[in-house]
Every structure is written in C-alpha cells, then in structure tokens.
Amino acid sequence: MRAGVERPWKELRMMVAHVLGCSYEDVVLGDQAILESKVNTLEALVLRRAAHEPLTKIIGEANFWDHTFYTTCDTLDPRPESELFIETVLNLYTDKAAPLSFLDLGTGTGCLLLTCLSEYPNAKGVGVDNSPAALAVAAKNAQRLGLEARARFVLSNWNDAVEEGFDVVLCNPPYVKEGEQLAQEVLFDPAGALFAGEDGLAAYREVFPKLRKSVMQ
C-alpha cells in the first residue's frame, strides 16, 4: 500500500474490531457491518496509521508473551525482543512455585514485571518509573491481569526511592544515541524511554552503580 504499511488488511481489521468493540476473529469470520456513526471514527484511525503512528498506539493495546497490555504515548511499546528477559528468568529460576521478589526499573507498561508475576504465582514485585502517567498505565495493566495484589508501583528515579532487596532486578533502559535516526513509528514512544545521551549509555552509567542495594544479599 502507498502508506508503506506491511499488513494493511490485517491492521484494518484490527482497527475495525477496535471501533466496533468486537474481536479480530469476529471481523474476519463474521459479517460485522460498520455502522454509519462509526465510519468517521474508522477513517480517522486509518489516517493516523497512514501517517505512521503505530497500530498499538492507535488501538491502545500491544501483545507481549501471552498477554495483552494497555499502552499509550506515555509508555514504550512492549517489544517482541524483550521477551528474552522472560525466557532468561524462566531458565534461571525453574521452580515456578518459588516466592521470588522482582524489581522492574523503568517499568513503563509493566509488561516485564507483570509477565514474570504471571509465570510465578507466589512471586511479588515492584515496578519503578519516573513518569506518573506510565505508572498509571502499569497499574491498569496489573488490574487487567488480576495481579494488583502482588504488584506495587513506585514513582522514583530508578531505585532511589526503593530500599528493600530483590531476588531479580529487571531493567531495559533507554540506549539510543541522541540524534540517531529512527523509524517514524518508534518516535511515537516517549523520548525519555528511547534516548540516552550522546553515546546511548547514559542510563547504564546512572543505574548500574545503584543496583547493588537492590539485590538480595
């Protein structure tokens, strides 16, 4: 398609499902009709996508691991490659009944922390972010997944406001160099979750010296 969207028909069906409040399968298999009152709404979403706004931002949801997470312009979209964090934890801690404690620095949507908690039913954790708006999204995701009793969210610059130690520390800090050219879709994520100084390592230099106090001794 001229807008350069790879799977235009699939994404269009997803937007139709979003507008109609039904499932993707209902759109594919059923005869859902776009009501007259919804046509303008759908057209507006299509124009946003044609301008390279990610579908996840348009419909406000992104898939990660086995779950669907709310996402907004205040949060970094969950990335498929970040599932490596979950795979690594599962390989290191094979006892899923273990009462592990997790700290997620720069939690964003909360996808890393909440996915780990869903895999370890006796675990608990804290998600930290310096954005109140991002924390609100993470809390909403915890409620969506029924994990609000085991997840706590804290407004903090990394772990500055967190004193206890944890079994596992998760952290996916920004690592893009300032001024680096990125795909248009990526720029809809918050700049603070993407860029980290002239060499892309500023966040690493800040957070690494602070990690010792957060590791269970």
Side-chain angles (χ1 to χ4, degrees), residues 91-132:
N91 286 332
L92 290 173
Y93 297 91
T94 56
D95 181 8
K96 287 197 171 186
L100 298 173
S101 57
F102 290 90
L103 174 64
D104 183 16
L105 299 176
T107 195
T109 61
C111 66
L112 295 182
L113 172 64
L114 297 173
T115 300
C116 285
L117 294 184
S118 72
E119 293 289 332
Y120 296 90
N122 296 316
K124 60 182 180 179
V126 175
V128 170
D129 208 290
N130 63 3
S131 165

Side-chain angles (χ1 to χ4, degrees), residues 4 6 22 61-62 72 85 94 97 102 105 112 115 167 182 193 202 208 211:
E6 278 189 28
C22 64
E61 293 183 339
T72 72
F85 283 88
T94 56
F102 290 90
L105 299 176
L112 295 182
T115 300
D167 295 306
L182 299 175
F208 275 12
L211 289 179

Side-chain angles (χ1 to χ4, degrees), residues 3 5 15 18 41-60 73 185 188:
V5 176
M15 284 187 275
H18 174 69
T41 301
L42 180 61
E43 287 180 348
L45 300 188
V46 170
L47 288 174
R48 288 169 62 184
R49 187 67 187 103
H52 298 286
E53 183 174 353
L55 179 65
T56 50
K57 300 299 189 194
I58 293 171
I59 66 176
C73 61
E185 283 86 353
F188 284 87

Side-chain angles (χ1 to χ4, degrees), residues 33-197:
I34 300 293
L35 301 176
E36 190 73 25
S37 61
K38 301 289 188 180
V39 171
N40 290 340
T41 301
L42 180 61
E43 287 180 348
L45 300 188
V46 170
L47 288 174
R48 288 169 62 184
R49 187 67 187 103
H52 298 286
E53 183 174 353
L55 179 65
T56 50
K57 300 299 189 194
I58 293 171
I59 66 176
E61 293 183 339
N63 294 324
F64 182 82
W65 202 251
D66 296 326
H67 309 290
T68 300
F69 291 87
Y70 295 116
T71 184
T72 72
C73 61
D74 300 300
T75 61
L76 189 76
D77 272 357
R79 303 283 201 268
E81 57 267 27
S82 295
E83 292 185 353
L84 180 60
F85 283 88
I86 312 303
E87 294 171 6
T88 300
V89 172
L90 289 171
N91 286 332
L92 290 173
Y93 297 91
T94 56
D95 181 8
K96 287 197 171 186
L100 298 173
S101 57
F102 290 90
L103 174 64
D104 183 16
L105 299 176
T107 195
T109 61
C111 66
L112 295 182
L113 172 64
L114 297 173
T115 300
C116 285
L117 294 184
S118 72
E119 293 289 332
Y120 296 90
N122 296 316
K124 60 182 180 179
V126 175
V128 170
D129 208 290
N130 63 3
S131 165
L135 290 176
V137 176
K140 190 177 176 183
N141 280 321
Q143 186 174 26
R144 181 179 200 172
L145 298 178
L147 296 170
E148 65 269 30
R150 296 194 282 127
R152 179 165 59 93
F153 297 101
V154 176
L155 181 65
S156 175
N157 180 48
W158 302 117
N159 60 344
D160 290 353
V162 180
E163 296 303 325
E164 65 261 45
F166 298 83
D167 295 306
V168 181
V169 178
L170 304 163
C171 185
N172 187 20
Y175 56 83
V176 180
K177 298 176 183 178
E178 294 287 351
E180 184 172 332
Q181 296 299 308
L182 299 175
Q184 265 186 287
E185 283 86 353
V186 178
L187 296 176
F188 284 87
D189 283 327
L194 295 171
F195 298 103

